[in-house]
Amino acid sequence: AGAETVKRAVELDLASRFQESLVCYQEGIDLLLQVVKGTGQGGGRAGEGRSGSPLLRPNFFSDGKYHKQIRIENNATGFSYEKVFQEYLTEILSEVWVEDPYIRSLLNKITLLQLYNFLRFCEMLVKGPCKVKTIHLLTSYDEGSGRSQQISGLEEIQQSLRNYGITLNIAFSSSIHDREIRFNNGWMIKIGRGLDYFKKPLGRFSIGYCDFDLRPCHETTVDVFHTKHTKKM
């Protein structure tokens, strides 16, 4: 079974389906290691092959779980939504869940804030190779007079997405704290700052105002998991 799984991983690798191949590589390696442990033929220290050399395992796997981490440094550039999410927007992706308590602030004179960040995220999904049909957004209500503007803005995004054949379901929670994005192809992305990891542009006509790859970022961490390798509560 381990050999067949590794064989499948190679086939996926050759087909440029890299994320799926990585999951198969891990499963195959785990199956083969179970056989080695069962026969007592390890022949080396824990974590080493029979020759004493370290086992070659993808460095983003830990204890049989997929975990890739991206550290975005303060003022770093080149981390647009396309760069962060693109490799997970596979053709089988059709449904997306966004949980972020702060999809609510509107545009002031020079600042692109959370509601517009969510719009940019939706634009990425529309342009991507995936065929997204449904987006679920869970966020919190804006405070005071901003609530009506928040709802109006989200409804406008909802109507615009409908023109592309995408349904946006909007729900509100007063107790939501975590920031998480889930895809129905198995990928889950957690960003410390949610979608709001870009700094304010210096002005409306400054480099980076439109192109997020050129926009400096706040320091944050992006953690990527595959649900097949995460513990279900």
Side-chain angles (χ1 to χ4, degrees), residues 14-33:
L14 293 174
S16 298
R17 296 165 64 180
F18 302 119
Q19 299 303 329
E20 294 170 83
S21 71
L22 289 173
V23 174
C24 285
Y25 275 128
Q26 174 61 23
E27 291 180 349
I29 290 171
D30 286 344
L31 289 169
L32 293 172
L33 286 176

Side-chain angles (χ1 to χ4, degrees), residues 5-64:
T5 305
V6 172
K7 181 180 177 181
R8 175 59 177 160
V10 173
E11 293 172 350
L12 292 169
D13 204 350
L14 293 174
S16 298
R17 296 165 64 180
F18 302 119
Q19 299 303 329
E20 294 170 83
S21 71
L22 289 173
V23 174
C24 285
Y25 275 128
Q26 174 61 23
E27 291 180 349
I29 290 171
D30 286 344
L31 289 169
L32 293 172
L33 286 176
Q34 290 174 20
V35 174
V36 172
K37 291 178 181 177
T39 58
Q41 295 178 357
R45 295 192 302 273
E48 293 184 342
R50 295 190 65 181
S51 64
S53 59
L55 289 170
L56 298 178
R57 303 182 69 183
N59 59 12
F60 31 74
F61 284 105
S62 176
D63 300 328

Side-chain angles (χ1 to χ4, degrees), residues 110-169:
I110 64 171
T111 308
L112 192 61
L113 293 175
Q114 286 93 336
L115 193 55
Y116 279 82
N117 287 337
F118 178 66
L119 175 59
R120 292 293 291 261
F121 177 80
C122 291
E123 289 175 337
M124 174 197 68
L125 295 175
V126 171
K127 290 169 57 181
C130 50
K131 306 298 181 184
V132 173
K133 296 299 182 184
T134 309
I135 301 172
H136 305 273
L137 172 65
L138 178 63
T139 188
S140 60
Y141 278 115
D142 208 339
E143 299 176 356
S145 60
R147 180 174 298 189
S148 62
Q149 290 181 311
Q150 175 197 23
I151 294 174
S152 175
L154 287 173
E155 288 179 346
E156 187 172 345
I157 295 174
Q158 187 178 52
Q159 177 58 48
S160 184
L161 285 169
R162 194 174 293 127
N163 296 333
Y164 289 88
I166 300 175
T167 299
L168 172 61
N169 297 319

Side-chain angles (χ1 to χ4, degrees), residues 19 66-67 76 84 92 94 104 110 124 127 151 159 183 191 201-202 206 226 229:
Q19 299 303 329
Y66 183 99
H67 180 202
V84 172
I92 63 173
S94 61
R104 59 189 193 184
I110 64 171
M124 174 197 68
K127 290 169 57 181
I151 294 174
Q159 177 58 48
F183 298 151
I191 306 176
L202 296 177
S206 61
H226 194 278
H229 295 278

